[in-house]
């Protein structure tokens, strides 16, 4: 049953949608978010969660529209950038997705969203982008060896994650694991052909 009741404030409906989405009840989650947006049209949190529910439900084109609207209303929402990166990946726009992933890391290197999404539970495949985000933030802060734990976990959940492969390749190189770096770059070239050369042409991968 939904945690929200008719007439509840918009955030209560968003909280209810999160619970429904965690249980894979996507239709119910979307109904909760429709209720939130009816009470607060253009609410950026409700729009971002609409994007996330649609992403998990395998509806990337609709998810992208929701995330675009959420970020237009709240451009500092780092989690929405990370989630939109995954949506763009699903739509074949991996280079654009990398820019969103980099924006998430830049806005919030520590990725506090990970604790909110996962809590004390084991992370699932949809959380891999969050682990990659926190790992890249750790690497960018000067701790490549510390980054590897999160990046390894991200790739265990999503072995073809371009963000995790790219970040781990760089972290391995910085930690003097050059064989591992080359292995990750080779895997990245299979997972996202052309991404590495495109990133290099634009002045750096990360």
């Amino acid at each position: 049953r939904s945690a929200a009741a008719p007439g509840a404030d918009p955030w209560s409906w968003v909280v209810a949608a999160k619970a429904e989405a965690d249980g894979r009840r996507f239709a119910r989650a979307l109904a909760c978010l429709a209720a939130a947006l009816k009470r607060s049209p253009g609410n950026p949190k409700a729009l971002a969660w609409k994007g996330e529910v649609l992403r998990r439900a395998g509806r990337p084109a609709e998810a992208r529209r929701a995330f675009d609207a959420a970020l237009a209303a709240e451009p500092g929402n780092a989690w929405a950038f990370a989630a939109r990166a995954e949506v763009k990946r699903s739509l074949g726009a991996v280079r654009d997705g990398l820019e969103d992933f980099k924006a998430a890391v830049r806005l919030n290197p520590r990725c506090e969203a990970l604790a909110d999404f996962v809590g004390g539970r084991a992370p699932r495949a949809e959380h891999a982008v969050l682990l990659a985000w926190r790992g890249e933030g750790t690497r960018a802060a000067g701790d490549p060896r510390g980054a590897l734990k999160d990046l390894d976990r991200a790739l265990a959940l999503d072995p073809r994650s371009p963000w995790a492969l790219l970040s781990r390749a760089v972290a391995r190189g910085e930690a003097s694991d050059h064989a591992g770096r080359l292995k990750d770059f080779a895997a990245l070239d299979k997972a996202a052909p052309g991404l590495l050369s495109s990133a290099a042409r634009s002045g750096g991968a990360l």
Side-chain angles (χ1 to χ4, degrees), residues 44-134:
K45 296 292 190 294
L47 287 167
W49 264 98
K50 182 178 179 181
E52 177 65 6
V53 172
L54 290 165
R55 176 176 86 90
R56 295 189 198 180
R59 296 160 62 179
E62 294 167 88
R64 179 170 183 173
R65 288 193 291 271
F67 280 125
D68 287 349
L71 286 164
E74 187 181 19
N77 185 339
W79 157 66
F81 274 110
R84 192 174 69 174
E86 285 293 292
V87 168
K88 288 181 176 179
R89 173 189 171 192
S90 295
L91 294 169
V94 182
R95 177 61 197 160
D96 285 348
L98 178 60
E99 294 306 312
D100 277 353
F101 179 78
K102 289 160 62 175
V105 176
R106 189 166 56 248
L107 286 165
N108 186 346
R110 292 180 295 176
C111 184
E112 283 93 347
L114 181 63
D116 183 43
F117 274 78
V118 178
R121 300 166 298 165
R124 300 192 298 212
E126 65 256 28
H127 302 132
V129 65
L130 303 176
L131 288 162
W133 168 6
R134 189 171 71 177

